[in-house]
Amino acid sequence: MTSRLLLWLILLGLFASEIKAQPQASTYVWPPTPSTSRFQVAVFRKRIQLEKIPEKADIHLFADSRYILWVYGQSLGFGPARSYPAHPEYDTYDLSPYLQEGNNLIAVQVWSNGTSSFQLRRMPAAFIAWGNIGEHSLRTPGNWRVLPLQGYDAEMVRMSFALGPMERYDARKDPPNWMNPEAQVMDQPVVSIK
């Protein structure tokens, strides 16, 4: 069991070393109490108060296995781009057209399959982001918060060795308003993955 954990940590190190635009201060993160289940889903949230909208507000991000980026409840994109684990591809978005004066919420919903498929290799659950919105840094861990979603069935079967797990979601188990910047949900600080 220890040798498997060491292997995953080495592979995670390869991800961090190959992302060339990643500032040294950004690190991969995940909820503080990671699940031991195969299929995990978490929402990483960052609130930002803006007096005025900056002309440029870039976010760069990468996640295992998939993500959807939300700003103020609007879906902006999903990824990551398909790539070989030794040379991961990160995605970049300009958030400025979607920001508002006042309270803003950037949220990234991240799925980690915890198993290999023809699309993805099995990797440790992880999310990383960097960039700036004016003077606000988007680097992880920073003051990102995380909400592990409980509504996804972590033990769903796989229909094929070539595909990831099927998804079954019970929305009653998660807060309905996690995309609302005004909502108070029980999110927690993120933890850096060493």
Side-chain angles (χ1 to χ4, degrees), residues 170-191:
D170 183 350
R172 297 171 296 182
K173 295 182 179 180
D174 292 320
N177 54 356
W178 59 260
M179 286 187 277
N180 181 343
E182 311 302 330
Q184 298 299 317
V185 298
M186 297 300 293
D187 53 11
Q188 339 165 19
V190 298
V191 170

Side-chain angles (χ1 to χ4, degrees), residues 5 8 46 61 107:
L5 179 59
W8 295 129
K46 185 169 182 78
L61 56 104

Side-chain angles (χ1 to χ4, degrees), residues 57-61 67 69 76-79 91-96:
D58 285 344
I59 185 171
H60 312 281
L61 56 104
Y67 73 82
L69 171 64
L76 299 190
F78 60 92
D91 298 314
T92 300
Y93 298 88
D94 179 10
L95 304 178
S96 56

